[in-house]
Amino acid sequence: MENTSFGFNSELTLDPFVIPPGGKYPIFFLGLIIYLFGIFCNLTLLSLIILQKNLHKPMYFILFSLPLNDLVGITAMLPKVLSDIVTETNKVYYPLCVLQAFLLHMYGGGILFILAAMSFDRYAAICMPLRYSTIMTPRIVVCIISLVWGLDFVLIVSLFSLQTRLPRCKSVIMNVFCDNPSLLKLTCGNRAVNNIIGLFNTAVMQAVSVSLQAFSYVKILITCLVSRRSEAKTKAINTCVAQLVILIIFEIVGTFTILSHRFTNVSADLQKIMGMLIFLVPPLLNPIVYGLYTSEIRNTMLRVIKKRVSN
């Protein structure tokens, strides 16, 4: 057992990747390109929503939270990992480790709640078009966004606050970044309550998000089937496919990540890479998917590009 006097300001050691000689700089520059590309795509989407008045609608005000959340996820994880690769330090102070883990868990819960809020907006727009403006008022939109971030914050704070009751007796994080399970493994004592609350929080996030999205999309599908207007069907497809693709991508990557840690024959480096994918794939693909499948965003972007080229 390691030092039982492990304190709040103690330095932790991260378990690094096994990188072949001469490989760290190519990996670093590849990771840097991925990070900059993700930042560029999400900032572009945020800028369009802020600057283009035709996107000042409830749907896009709620959508604004998605690239913002993606920026938090990829920034909280990737720069630290790349820095450790190139400097070969693999050290982090405990408060910074907790902060990174907190932000990454906020990101994970944020995706689920944001997609649920967006599905409700599409349900109101497609199934109740005549009442949409009275349902999605500015006040309701603010309440929805506040509920998304507030519920996510409360669940994650409750998860991390439980760790303060357990003494810490280890200083090695068996991962290339910090997360709640890794921090929990540093503690000594009975972790049953922490594990139960962790599973409960995960179940609440999944239940709220999936059930609300399932209800919304089933209602939308029924509306499309009974509607004789081809416009309604086209609108439903254009506005919902992007959200469904993003949800499917997130769930597949998340499931793949979890399963990679359940098989003993999976290498440690592969497990770390799988763990990183959940913080890399959605931030890279979400703005692209929305740009491709949402005609209003795509047309707005093309108009802005043409305007700048002509100037």
Side-chain angles (χ1 to χ4, degrees):
M1 181 176 291
E2 299 182 35
N3 183 15
T4 56
S5 63
F6 177 58
F8 184 78
N9 292 319
S10 296
E11 193 175 57
L12 306 179
T13 301
L14 298 165
D15 188 36
F17 284 113
V18 178
I19 299 176
K24 69 176 183 178
Y25 288 109
I27 292 173
F28 171 78
F29 286 114
L30 176 61
L32 183 62
I33 291 171
I34 291 173
Y35 176 67
L36 293 177
F37 178 75
I39 294 294
F40 171 77
C41 290
N42 284 284
L43 285 179
T44 299
L45 185 54
L46 287 174
S47 299
L48 284 174
I49 296 173
I50 293 172
L51 300 176
Q52 301 302 312
K53 292 184 179 180
N54 65 304
L55 298 182
H56 292 178
K57 301 175 182 178
M59 171 185 175
Y60 300 111
F61 288 140
I62 297 174
L63 170 62
F64 187 86
S65 292
L66 190 62
L68 188 64
N69 188 62
D70 286 342
L71 287 173
V72 170
I74 195 171
T75 300
M77 189 275 296
L78 194 53
K80 171 60 178 169
V81 173
L82 294 178
S83 173
D84 288 345
I85 288 175
V86 76
T87 61
E88 299 181 0
T89 53
N90 306 308
K91 300 289 184 179
V92 62
Y93 285 104
Y94 180 75
L96 295 178
C97 188
V98 172
L99 177 61
Q100 182 186 45
F102 179 82
L103 292 175
L104 293 180
H105 283 266
M106 280 286 293
Y107 156 83
I111 289 183
L112 292 173
F113 290 139
I114 292 165
L115 291 178
M118 292 165 63
S119 70
F120 174 78
D121 172 79
R122 292 300 83 205
Y123 159 69
I126 296 169
C127 299
M128 298 175 287
L130 299 179
R131 297 173 52 200
Y132 179 74
S133 59
T134 60
I135 294 174
M136 299 300 292
T137 62
R139 181 179 178 182
I140 294 298
V141 172
V142 170
C143 289
I144 289 174
I145 295 172
S146 300
L147 182 62
V148 163
W149 290 103
L151 183 58
D152 188 25
F153 181 79
V154 168
L155 289 174
I156 302 305
V157 166
S158 67
L159 181 65
F160 277 79
S161 62
L162 288 173
Q163 297 218 18
T164 58
R165 69 185 185 89
L166 295 174
R168 293 181 297 276
C169 56
K170 300 177 184 177
S171 61
V172 178
I173 296 285
M174 298 307 296
N175 204 343
V176 290
F177 58 86
C178 300
D179 57 6
N180 183 64
S182 299
L183 285 170
L184 190 58
K185 290 176 183 177
L186 299 179
T187 62
C188 304
N190 191 345
R191 305 169 185 165
V193 174
N194 299 67
N195 291 326
I196 291 171
I197 296 299
L199 291 173
F200 173 78
N201 286 0
T202 302
V204 168
M205 290 177 179
Q206 288 285 349
V208 170
S209 178
V210 174
S211 60
L212 185 54
Q213 291 184 74
F215 169 82
S216 299
Y217 291 127
V218 167
K219 288 288 189 180
I220 289 170
L221 178 62
I222 293 173
T223 300
C224 291
L225 292 175
V226 300
S227 174
R228 296 181 179 179
R229 297 180 303 163
S230 60
E231 288 183 18
K233 296 180 181 180
T234 303
K235 182 179 179 182
I237 292 173
N238 288 338
T239 56
C240 296
V241 166
Q243 291 169 217
L244 288 171
V245 169
I246 290 171
L247 175 65
I248 292 170
I249 290 172
F250 180 77
E251 293 292 349
I252 289 176
V253 172
T255 302
F256 201 47
T257 300
I258 293 171
L259 291 178
S260 71
H261 292 274
R262 296 296 183 268
F263 296 99
T264 56
N265 58 341
V266 177
S267 71
D269 279 353
L270 182 58
Q271 287 181 351
K272 294 168 188 172
I273 293 172
M274 292 298 102
M276 291 173 63
L277 285 181
I278 200 168
F279 307 106
L280 292 177
V281 175
L284 293 175
L285 293 185
N286 288 352
I288 296 175
V289 169
Y290 258 93
L292 291 175
Y293 283 98
T294 308
S295 58
E296 197 165 11
I297 290 178
R298 183 174 64 252
N299 294 336
T300 300
M301 186 181 300
L302 292 174
R303 189 175 67 250
V304 171
I305 292 173
K306 288 180 181 179
K307 185 177 179 180
R308 292 195 174 185
V309 170
S310 62
N311 292 337

